[in-house]
């Protein structure tokens, strides 16, 4: 309802609003003549400046003084302020749920009993579906499946599996029953990742796939450093929508991993061999499912009913917060853990500090928006709907091609720059609209001061050396929710989205710091360390001798400062680790398999810690050598 148009209770005409002191208080000559003498305390700023020129009035041009005074008058807003109030569309229909409740349960104690019964029904319904979703029965002959995450793999990066991969054995003749959650198809690597001579980024790490035209499971295999769940979806073994259970088999060394586009995942090809691969056993697919979508149906049903039949903000907001929080923490976007009891423990640990934050948000911002609001359907669609959009961030805003607000991601991720431009422009337009609404209510000066403090604190944090500011989406929700504390339809929507973003951020990731070290932001990315200098290799073809071809690499000693050894990967598996104190200055590799290329990468060692590996040099199948390109991999 536009402010200032509400009828007066006694039938008097509505008050006349004006923008502060711009209009003269008298309109005729006779009354104006009586206003020639005024009290000194009521004189305007301009008259006072004219009579007592100060330092500011001497050195600031009058035009700038007038502009500053006009800006202050405009920011202050109309006098008296005009509070916003939503007039419901189809009021009889929107107030019908409250009228129905008052008709059949007129006493407060009856409503309290109904609310308790409602909470119990909600808890039991959610718990029963959640139990069925999270605890699977045994797969006959293979035992209980192991809960794995979307990012779980059987092989570690670089030299994480040790020399010759011994720490990741066995390579073959073993099976593992597993269970994947839903929504693993979208999981990507976020830093450059080497697969032979290739550098991949921002795509699922699935290497291999079907090797026959019929695409049968018997002839489908993947490199063991692939995402297990992504590979299972790619093979058609499980569904991305509901996850699933099954059994994978370690099939040992394979060569030629094809690149196949299936199930909206394009796998990565690798034209050489790898010591460990896996496939999926036909007939072991179990009916266990990740029931996050039925659970969403349960949560939506109860939150919608609560929103329609509750007009009290003190009942509505805490109930919605708790219901949505546990839905995110236990069902739609739980923490990345395989032990479900640990997930419950973490959710309860994060609940208490999140509740304190939401109490402050409710007291200072949300209560003002919801108090006196009887547009039940509009509240449900806008506020509650927006809350679910924000809380389901992994299905909504995560579709925007910006994984992290870091210069590296924005520069390298496809589509990140235009997406960021659109997001910033949208936020600017929303901020302008909300600022105008706050001005009409006469509250813009205090909110400008509040956001000025926010900006000042962030700038101070940016200036801290060797630390990076990272605005997580829970912080974004807390910072922006203050600008929605008025009763307008856009504010209902924006406030719901921001509260939902806060819930998703805390339930999924916890209270990550606004200041993070470069190492925390880097994750598994490149370290920026010194790369070794490798002399051009010596290749012995050994044609006609019955001896397999071999290649020898040499390097100069001593190693650069702070390093005492060198690590060499062959086809992404560590095959050599030599140290300066043993005077190891060369490495000879005998060709393992004919008619396939082999890829070599080199890194310096500081004890057992390794630096960045070089890009791959290629020993081609014809015996020639392709030198590695500059830079790390």
């Amino acid at each position: 309802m536009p402010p200032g148009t509400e009828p007066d209770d006694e039938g008097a005409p509505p008050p006349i609003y004006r923008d502060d002191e711009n209009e003269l208080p008298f309109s005729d000559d006779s009354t104006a003549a009586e206003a020639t003498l005024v009290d000194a305390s009521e004189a305007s700023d301009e008259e006072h400046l004219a009579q007592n020129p100060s330092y500011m009035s001497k050195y600031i041009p009058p035009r700038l003084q007038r502009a500053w005074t006009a800006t202050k008058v405009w920011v202050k807003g109309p006098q008296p302020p005009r509070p916003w109030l939503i007039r419901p569309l189809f009021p009889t229909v929107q107030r019908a749920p409250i009228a129905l409740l008052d008709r059949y349960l007129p006493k407060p104690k009856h409503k309290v009993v109904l609310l308790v019964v409602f909470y119990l029904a909600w808890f039991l319904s959610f718990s029963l579906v959640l139990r069925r979703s999270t605890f699977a029965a045994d797969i006959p002959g293979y035992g209980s499946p192991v809960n794995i995450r979307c990012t779980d793999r059987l092989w570690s990066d670089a030299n994480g599996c040790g020399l010759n991969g011994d720490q990741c054995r066995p390579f073959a003749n073993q099976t593992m029953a597993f269970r994947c959650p839903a929504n693993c198809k979208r999981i990507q690597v976020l830093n450059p990742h080497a697969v032979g001579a290739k550098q991949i980024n921002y795509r699922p790490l699935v290497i291999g796939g079907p090797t026959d035209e019929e695409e049968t499971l018997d002839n489908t295999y993947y490199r063991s450093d692939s995402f297990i769940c992504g590979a299972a979806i790619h093979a058609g073994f499980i569904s991305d929508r509901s996850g699933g259970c099954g059994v994978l088999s370690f099939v040992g060394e394979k060569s030629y991993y094809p690149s196949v586009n299936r199930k909206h995942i394009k796998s990565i090809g690798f034209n050489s061999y790898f010591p460990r691969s896996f496939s999926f056993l036909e007939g072991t697919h179990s009916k266990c499912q990740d029931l996050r979508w039925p659970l969403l149906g349960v949560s939506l049903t109860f939150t919608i009913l609560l929103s329609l039949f509750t007009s009290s903000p003190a009942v509505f907001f805490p109930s919605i917060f708790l219901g949505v929080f546990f839905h995110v923490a236990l069902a739609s976007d739980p923490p990345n853990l395989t032990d479900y009891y640990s997930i419950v423990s973490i959710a309860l640990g994060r609940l208490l500090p999140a509740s304190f934050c939401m109490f402050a948000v409710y007291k200072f911002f949300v209560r003002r928006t919801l108090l006196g609001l009887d547009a039940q359907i509009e509240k449900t669609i806008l506020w509650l709907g927006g809350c679910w959009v924000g809380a389901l961030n992994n299905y909504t805003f995560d579709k925007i091609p910006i994984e992290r607000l870091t210069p590296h991601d924005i520069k390298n991720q496809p589509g990140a720059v235009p997406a960021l431009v659109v997001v910033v422009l949208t936020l600017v337009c929303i901020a302008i609209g909300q600022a105008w609404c706050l001005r009409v209510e006469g509250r813009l000066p205090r909110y400008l001061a509040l956001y000025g403090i926010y900006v000042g604190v962030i700038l101070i944090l940016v200036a801290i050396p060797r630390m990076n500011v990272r605005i997580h989406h829970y912080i974004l929700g807390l910072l922006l929710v203050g600008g929605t504390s008025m009763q307008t339809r856009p504010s209902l929507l924006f406030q719901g989205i921001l509260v939902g973003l806060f819930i998703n951020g805390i339930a999924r990731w916890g209270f990550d710091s606004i200041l993070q070290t470069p190492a925390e932001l880097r994750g598994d990315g490149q370290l920026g360390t010194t790369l070794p200098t490798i002399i051009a290799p010596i290749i012995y073809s050994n044609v006609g001798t019955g001896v397999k071809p071999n290649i020898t690499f040499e390097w100069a000693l001593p190693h650069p400062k702070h390093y005492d050894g060198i690590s060499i990967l062959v086809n992404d598996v560590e095959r050599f680790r030599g140290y300066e104190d043993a005077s190891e200055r060369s490495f000879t590799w005998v060709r393992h398999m004919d008619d396939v290329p082999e890829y070599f990468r080199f890194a310096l060692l500081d004890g057992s810690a390794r630096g960045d590996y070089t890009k791959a040099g290629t020993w081609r199948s014809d015996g020639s050598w392709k030198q590695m390109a500059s830079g790390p991999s």
Side-chain angles (χ1 to χ4, degrees):
M1 179 176 183
T5 60
E6 298 86 350
D8 189 82
D9 293 339
E10 299 182 0
I16 298 176
Y17 290 92
R18 54 192 171 82
D19 279 348
D20 211 45
E21 311 300 335
N22 291 332
E23 299 180 11
L24 290 174
F26 306 105
S27 58
D28 58 348
D29 296 338
S30 60
T31 54
E34 300 173 2
T36 54
L37 297 177
V38 294
D39 187 85
S41 62
E42 298 176 359
S44 68
D45 292 340
E46 291 186 4
E47 292 170 347
H48 179 73
L49 288 171
Q51 295 172 6
N52 300 294
S54 64
Y55 178 85
M56 298 291 289
S57 62
K58 286 182 180 179
Y59 296 100
I60 297 179
R63 181 177 296 179
L64 290 180
Q65 295 182 48
R66 289 193 297 270
W68 173 249
T69 302
T71 300
K72 289 196 299 182
V73 169
W74 185 89
V75 168
K76 189 176 179 181
Q79 299 298 317
R82 312 175 193 177
W84 294 92
L85 182 66
I86 292 177
R87 175 179 291 175
L89 302 172
F90 307 105
T92 303
V93 175
Q94 296 210 53
R95 293 166 182 158
I98 301 300
L100 182 67
L101 200 63
D102 289 339
R103 179 179 179 182
Y104 290 100
L105 297 171
K107 296 183 179 181
K109 63 180 180 180
H110 295 159
K111 295 177 181 177
V112 170
V113 171
L114 177 62
L115 186 62
V116 172
V117 173
F118 179 85
Y119 286 152
L120 290 175
W122 188 355
F123 175 78
L124 289 175
S125 301
F126 188 82
S127 300
L128 291 174
V129 180
L130 181 66
R131 185 181 184 281
R132 183 181 176 188
S133 174
T134 53
F135 298 101
D138 291 352
I139 298 177
Y142 296 96
S144 179
V146 176
N147 290 320
I148 62 176
R149 300 162 292 190
C150 294
T151 56
D152 280 347
R153 299 182 289 159
L154 299 169
W155 193 278
S156 302
D157 288 337
N159 62 346
C161 282
L163 200 60
N164 299 315
D166 288 341
Q167 295 178 20
C168 293
R169 289 181 181 274
F171 293 165
N173 302 320
Q174 187 167 328
T175 58
M176 184 183 81
F178 68 95
R179 179 177 188 176
C180 285
N183 199 34
C184 285
K185 179 178 65 180
R186 67 183 180 87
I187 302 301
Q188 304 175 336
V189 290
L190 302 180
N191 290 300
H193 186 91
V195 179
K198 298 176 181 177
Q199 293 282 328
I200 64 148
N201 203 2
Y202 302 114
R203 61 182 295 185
L205 184 57
V206 177
I207 308 168
T211 58
D212 59 343
E213 293 184 359
E214 292 77 18
E215 298 185 344
T216 59
L217 279 179
D218 290 337
N219 294 302
T220 298
Y221 53 85
Y222 300 88
R223 251 177 57 161
S224 62
D225 52 346
S226 302
F227 291 151
I228 298 173
C229 295
I233 295 169
H234 184 264
F237 190 67
I238 64 171
S239 164
D240 178 62
R241 183 177 181 276
S242 58
C245 300
V247 177
L248 62 81
S249 173
F250 302 154
V251 295
E253 183 177 273
K254 292 287 184 179
S255 61
Y256 179 66
Y257 299 82
S259 175
V260 182
N261 195 348
R262 294 190 74 208
K263 307 297 182 181
H264 305 287
I265 296 176
K266 185 175 182 180
S267 65
I268 303 158
F270 181 63
N271 60 350
S272 192
Y273 59 88
F274 199 79
R276 190 187 199 191
S277 306
F278 66 88
S279 63
F280 301 99
L281 294 182
E282 188 78 53
T284 60
H285 178 265
S286 177
K287 293 184 178 180
C288 72
Q289 293 181 333
D290 185 339
L291 300 179
R292 62 181 63 191
W293 296 111
L295 280 167
L296 179 60
V298 171
S299 297
L300 279 175
T301 299
F302 281 94
T303 53
I304 289 171
L305 288 174
L306 183 73
S307 178
L308 290 175
F309 287 90
T310 303
S311 58
S312 169
V315 174
F316 170 78
F317 182 76
S319 304
I320 296 299
F321 164 69
L322 290 173
V324 176
F325 181 90
F326 281 111
H327 179 88
V328 174
L330 303 180
S332 68
D333 200 10
N336 228 352
L337 296 172
T338 57
D339 181 7
Y340 206 79
Y341 295 104
S342 297
I343 293 176
V344 174
S345 175
I346 287 176
L348 292 174
R350 293 171 177 173
L351 176 64
L352 185 60
S355 299
F356 278 114
C357 293
M358 285 294 96
F359 172 76
V361 167
Y362 169 76
K363 181 176 181 180
F364 294 107
F365 306 126
V366 174
R367 186 175 181 273
R368 187 182 187 99
T369 305
L370 299 179
L371 191 63
L373 179 63
D374 57 358
Q376 298 299 99
I377 296 177
E378 290 181 83
K379 178 185 71 175
T380 302
I381 294 174
L382 296 175
W383 200 100
L384 181 61
C387 183
W388 276 112
V389 168
L392 298 175
N393 174 66
N394 52 322
Y395 294 99
T396 54
F397 297 115
D398 263 7
K399 303 297 182 183
I400 299 173
I402 303 176
E403 291 290 344
R404 299 170 297 189
L405 279 175
T406 61
H408 173 271
D409 280 25
I410 294 171
K411 179 181 178 181
N412 293 283
Q413 187 171 4
V417 172
L420 182 63
V421 171
V422 171
V423 169
V424 170
L425 291 178
T426 302
L427 290 177
V428 168
C429 293
I430 292 173
I432 292 173
Q434 294 299 105
W436 182 81
C437 292
L438 288 170
R439 174 189 175 271
V440 171
E441 287 198 344
R443 297 190 292 141
L444 183 56
R446 72 183 74 170
Y447 277 87
L448 287 177
L450 175 65
Y451 281 97
I453 294 172
Y454 289 165
V455 172
V457 171
I458 291 174
L459 291 177
I460 292 173
L461 295 176
V462 169
I464 296 177
R466 290 184 290 184
M467 297 293 285
N468 298 97
V469 173
R470 187 175 179 192
I471 307 296
H472 304 278
H473 50 282
Y474 86 88
I475 297 176
L476 194 66
L478 289 178
L479 291 179
L480 299 183
V481 72
T484 64
S485 62
M486 68 205 83
Q487 200 176 107
T488 64
R489 290 178 176 89
S491 293
L492 284 178
L493 176 62
F494 301 149
Q495 190 174 94
I497 290 174
L498 293 171
V499 169
L501 282 175
F502 172 85
I503 292 173
N504 178 269
I506 299 305
R508 175 62 178 89
W509 304 103
F511 287 89
D512 271 3
S513 173
I514 192 173
L515 279 179
Q516 293 185 313
T517 64
E520 289 175 312
L521 291 178
R522 182 176 60 242
D524 60 353
Q526 296 163 356
L527 304 171
T529 56
T530 303
L531 298 175
T533 301
I534 304 299
I535 301 171
I538 302 170
I539 300 174
Y540 296 94
S541 299
N542 299 326
V543 177
T545 63
V547 178
K548 284 192 172 185
N550 60 73
I551 185 170
T552 299
F553 299 92
E554 296 181 347
W555 50 88
L557 294 179
H559 291 300
K561 188 177 180 181
H562 306 303
Y563 297 100
D564 58 358
I566 193 167
S567 169
I568 301 177
L569 305 183
V570 182
N571 283 3
D572 306 322
V573 179
E574 188 177 40
R575 298 296 185 176
F576 175 81
R577 187 179 294 185
Y579 289 93
E580 184 178 325
D581 57 7
S583 299
E584 294 177 304
R585 60 175 68 242
S586 67
F587 164 67
T588 298
W589 174 257
V590 178
R591 187 179 287 282
H592 177 70
M593 186 178 292
D594 295 332
D595 301 324
V596 298
E598 293 179 304
Y599 303 97
F600 297 80
R601 294 190 285 141
F602 308 83
L604 293 170
L605 294 173
D606 179 12
S608 60
R610 57 95 181 172
D612 285 327
Y613 281 92
T614 64
K615 288 184 167 60
T618 306
W619 188 16
R620 299 187 181 100
S621 57
D622 63 4
S624 62
W625 170 255
K626 181 182 178 182
Q627 185 69 14
M628 67 281 290
S630 61
S633 61

